[in-house]
Amino acid sequence: MAFCFTPEAPLEAWLAELDTHIARSPNFFAGRPVVLDLAKVKLNPGEIAGLIEELRRRGIRVMGLEGVDAKSLRAEFPPLIHHTRARHVQELTIPAETEPPAPKPASLIIEQPVRSGQAIAFEGDITVLGSVGSAAELVAGGSIHVYGTLRGRVMAGCAGNPRARIFCQKIDAELIGINGYYRTIEEIDETLRHRPAQAWLDGDDMKITALQ
């Protein structure tokens, strides 16, 4: 699951507390997907950008935002994510660096369709044996495989993996993202719609092609 950071005012004190966690276990957040919940602070777009940059300097990659008005978002910001199941950093008991980390599962298999409005985040690959409904969200640190119709919003490679890919049997997605690069439904070629397709990054360019 993704970690959810919930900053509180004053931000300087909140960042100092985060620095204390990082000092105790420098690699704890490395490569882990993070959602930034801004419901407890009132920030303008410039302040949001500054906070995201402060986290980036600490090696923390923000894959999505919560608790903020969509009108405050800039095009370069991470996407808005609703109802993500995540753990708050204030509630974490960070293990000492000497303790061996628990093994992480490499993939998540979802045997049922992902219903409209559901949001699922996972550190590794996500495989959905059914379809993904409209307004549903999938966020994966690795690749995403959908063996049915892909609707909703899907974001792969959110743990900083530019080699992640998205595969589906029928593409009709509202938004596709890989490692911070996004395409909306309006930017997906009409000839690819409702067909098997895959998406991947070629440098800074996202490619979406039909699966033969």
Side-chain angles (χ1 to χ4, degrees), residues 83-164:
H83 308 301
T84 303
R85 293 181 295 170
R87 292 189 289 174
H88 290 261
V89 66
Q90 294 91 337
E91 299 171 357
L92 291 175
T93 301
I94 300 179
E97 188 67 17
T98 55
E99 296 181 11
K104 301 176 184 177
S107 62
L108 172 67
I109 297 177
I110 302 171
E111 298 184 1
Q112 304 296 327
V114 180
R115 300 187 304 274
S116 176
Q118 279 188 290
I120 297 173
F122 185 72
E123 294 181 11
D125 294 349
I126 294 178
T127 299
V128 181
L129 301 185
S131 295
V132 177
S134 61
E137 294 174 340
L138 296 180
V139 180
S143 296
I144 294 175
H145 306 255
V146 178
Y147 287 87
T149 301
L150 173 55
R151 303 183 183 91
R153 300 157 56 95
V154 291
M155 290 153 277
C158 291
N161 181 7
R163 301 184 64 184

Side-chain angles (χ1 to χ4, degrees), residues 179-190:
N179 192 38
Y181 295 88
Y182 303 95
R183 288 274 192 94
T184 63
I185 189 170
E186 293 83 6
E187 298 170 311
I188 298 175
D189 193 327
E190 283 285 345

Side-chain angles (χ1 to χ4, degrees), residues 157-207:
C158 291
N161 181 7
R163 301 184 64 184
R165 297 197 176 204
I166 297 172
F167 302 89
C168 64
Q169 285 298 311
K170 187 180 291 186
I171 187 168
D172 195 20
E174 298 164 16
L175 179 143
I176 285 180
I178 300 177
N179 192 38
Y181 295 88
Y182 303 95
R183 288 274 192 94
T184 63
I185 189 170
E186 293 83 6
E187 298 170 311
I188 298 175
D189 193 327
E190 283 285 345
T191 62
L192 296 174
R193 299 279 297 279
H194 312 296
R195 296 179 58 191
Q198 66 168 325
W200 79 98
L201 288 182
D202 182 6
D204 293 340
D205 184 26
M206 183 185 295
K207 304 285 188 181

Side-chain angles (χ1 to χ4, degrees), residues 71-84:
K71 296 179 182 178
S72 300
L73 300 183
R74 295 176 178 173
E76 67 270 19
F77 284 178
L80 190 64
I81 297 176
H82 303 283
H83 308 301
T84 303

Side-chain angles (χ1 to χ4, degrees), residues 45-63:
E47 291 169 330
I48 295 173
L51 178 56
I52 292 173
E53 175 61 19
E54 287 290 340
L55 294 174
R56 186 196 66 79
R57 291 175 185 171
R58 291 164 171 79
I60 297 172
R61 182 181 179 85
V62 178
M63 68 175 186

